[in-house]
């Protein structure tokens, strides 16, 4: 066994990864991939770090919404401020589950609050607030948010890079929320972070100008938008893609080329002891994995260690 | 004199560049820039390659529009197809000049034609068509489009990279038009090319899906949109920026930090012998350069050689 991927058990998932990389880097092999085409993209929430009991970014948003209720009490009776102020995580969890099932009504209410929460903030102030929040503790798994990255996936990023792959994050989460920590957690610099974003406005001043968020969305990077954003940002079709939910299906399918099968990785959350056990929002992607031969990674069976720094 | 920047004369412009880079890389200097913050962005048309008698991309578009007139003769009486079919470069040149002066009427007509010209095309087919066109000859300066890059600017890119800067193209031109040749001409990979773009749609099929251009614009990357796109793509404020026109003013002003002056470079086209001599569309940027202390690069005085491969 290679010294890379040490947190992986020697299972078919690990073998599929190693075989793909060995063939992709072996000149003359029918599956050889020239170095400039070695592009790997990974979803973030639920793929590179944990997303339960709620996505980490949602905690950040709730923190901000509750903060707004302190200065404007009239917000306390309106969603999504009400849920944030009362710490009613049920409403929020349901919102996400409904979104996975195609019901976007509560998501729109939530999005309206999010847009208002950050409108007028500069990108620098937002980054500082996100960075400060991400120094905090995860609510249930007894570790800091910065230690919520999956060690096995971080090893996979390094293994791919050691074999000439350029690695990118292609997340449905907010691009600028992740950026302050992606280098530290995953070794992925800001320029390689693709995600959702609010619209920005350039505001001239005497000292270089500022970029300020507007109260309107720009990109919601999920589903069929993921391949569009991947192309827009990278200018190449990936050959490796990793995800964990229905929203990752187009990105996973897009990996590879018309003449060459890519490596499609789907993370299955099946370990209630060490992480979480759920398939809500991933049902269709699991079906596609079965029908299309994607590689399913079982946290329970395929990983000897789950989290970095003692997981 | 350093062995880098060999095509530059030893003038104040060159000295300003070298002094900036030496201070930015000298630890302890008040102008020291930590390596992750060494970001340099450059406009393309008129900054890295020549844009006269018309932008190179416009030639590509005209080629495509004329091609459409062959199969659909009814287009021959409508702008912009009429100008393309009759090779009426006057109408097109006026359109660009009007745009620089803030009159967008003809630009809208042109944009309508452009959107229709490429709607329904896959990104791969478009890239192949752009690449083939860029193997052709420039209409007036006796060299291939691939040799229209300015040698002095290419040396500057290498000099910056040798000093730890990450270099990006931030152009008003179409992102996907430039991408097939940016690595070859400038050594800048596709993921570091920022530019305008048409909207894309992901279309599922059985072999990985395709990305297809829609008949609608996505981003017009000029003026105040340039800082927005630079942040969106890179996630950092640049400390070096190079441009040549009014549309580059916000990008140039944005370079640096609130506490640290950046290196702002404005290319002046003043060499009718070896390149072109014009300031149309650059008037305001030249005023800003004078008032804000930006470094103006005179092609005539500052460059010993203009083009790569015998310029």
């Amino acid at each position: 066994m290679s010294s890379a991927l040490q947190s992986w058990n020697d299972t078919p998932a690990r073998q599929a990864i190693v075989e793909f990389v060995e063939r992709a880097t072996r000149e003359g092999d029918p599956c050889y991939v020239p170095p400039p085409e070695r592009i790997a993209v990974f979803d973030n929430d639920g793929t590179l770090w944990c997303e339960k009991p709620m996505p980490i970014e949602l905690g950040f948003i709730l923190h901000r919404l509750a903060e707004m209720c302190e200065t404007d009490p009239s917000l306390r009776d309106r969603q999504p401020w009400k849920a944030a102020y009362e710490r009613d995580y049920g409403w929020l969890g349901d919102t996400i589950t409904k979104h996975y099932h195609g019901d976007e009504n509560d998501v729109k209410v939530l999005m309206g609050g999010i847009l208002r929460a950050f409108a007028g903030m500069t990108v620098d102030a937002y980054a500082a607030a996100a960075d400060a929040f991400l120094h905090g503790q995860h609510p249930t798994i007894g570790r800091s948010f910065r230690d919520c990255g999956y060690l096995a996936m971080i090893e996979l990023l390094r293994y791919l890079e050691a074999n000439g792959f350029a690695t990118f994050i292609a997340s449905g989460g907010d691009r600028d929320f992740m950026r302050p920590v992606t280098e530290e957690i995953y070794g992925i610099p800001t320029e390689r972070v693709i995600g959702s974003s609010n619209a920005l406005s350039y505001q001239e001043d005497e000292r270089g100008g500022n970029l300020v968020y507007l109260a309107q969305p720009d990109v919601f990077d999920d589903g069929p938008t993921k391949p569009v954003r991947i192309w827009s940002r990278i200018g190449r079709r990936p050959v490796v893609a990793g995800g964990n939910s229905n929203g990752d299906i187009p990105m996973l399918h897009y990996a590879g080329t018309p003449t060459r099968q890519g490596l499609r990785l789907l993370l299955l959350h099946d370990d209630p002891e060490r992480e979480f056990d759920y398939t809500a929002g991933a049902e269709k992607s699991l079906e596609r994995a079965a029908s299309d031969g994607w590689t399913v990674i079982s946290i329970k069976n395929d990983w000897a260690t789950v989290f970095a720094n003692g997981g």
Side-chain angles (χ1 to χ4, degrees), chain A residues 209-264:
Chain A
N210 269 310
L211 294 173
V212 172
Y213 295 103
L214 300 174
Q216 64 189 62
D218 182 13
V219 175
F220 182 45
D221 191 23
D222 198 37
T225 301
K226 283 205 175 189
V228 170
R229 299 304 306 157
I230 287 167
W231 172 268
S232 300
R233 291 286 300 272
I234 306 173
R236 293 185 181 276
R237 182 193 292 262
V239 291
V240 176
N244 78 306
S245 77
N246 299 339
D248 295 317
I249 293 173
M251 171 176 79
L252 292 165
H253 185 63
Y254 184 59
T257 73
T259 55
R260 193 166 52 204
Q261 180 83 358
L263 177 66
R264 280 100 164 180

Side-chain angles (χ1 to χ4, degrees), chain A residues 20-21 24-25 38-40 160-167 192 239-240:
Chain A
F20 178 89
V21 170
T25 54
R38 293 182 198 162
I39 304 290
L160 289 167
E161 288 161 8
N163 283 282
F165 286 81
T167 58
R192 290 191 170 173
V239 291
V240 176

Side-chain angles (χ1 to χ4, degrees), chain A residues 123-139:
Chain A
V123 293
D124 300 313
Y126 179 90
D131 193 37
F133 177 83
L134 289 164
H135 273 95
Q137 285 289 112
H138 186 281

Side-chain angles (χ1 to χ4, degrees), chain A residues 44-67:
Chain A
N44 188 31
D45 296 308
T47 300
L48 294 181
W49 71 3
C50 68
E51 62 176 349
K52 295 291 177 186
M54 63 181 171
I56 293 172
E57 182 189 345
L58 189 51
F60 173 61
I61 292 163
L62 295 182
H63 178 80
R64 170 78 182 154
L65 293 174
E67 205 174 60

Side-chain angles (χ1 to χ4, degrees), chain A residues 145-156:
Chain A
F145 289 125
R146 287 172 132 78
D147 289 330
C148 285
Y150 302 129
L151 181 59
M153 295 305 279
I154 294 166
E155 289 175 358
L156 175 57

Side-chain angles (χ1 to χ4, degrees), chain A residues 169-190:
Chain A
I169 291 173
S171 170
D174 185 81
R175 179 193 67 209
D176 293 346
F177 175 70
M178 296 177 277
R179 277 175 160 170
V181 294
T182 54
E183 178 90 50
E184 177 183 340
I185 301 179
Y186 309 122
I188 293 182
T190 56

Side-chain angles (χ1 to χ4, degrees), chain A residues 184-206:
Chain A
E184 177 183 340
I185 301 179
Y186 309 122
I188 293 182
T190 56
E191 70 181 80
R192 290 191 170 173
V193 177
I194 310 168
S196 298
S197 60
N198 293 345
L200 284 165
S201 168
Y202 173 71
Q203 299 191 348
E204 180 94 8
D205 65 15
E206 290 189 355

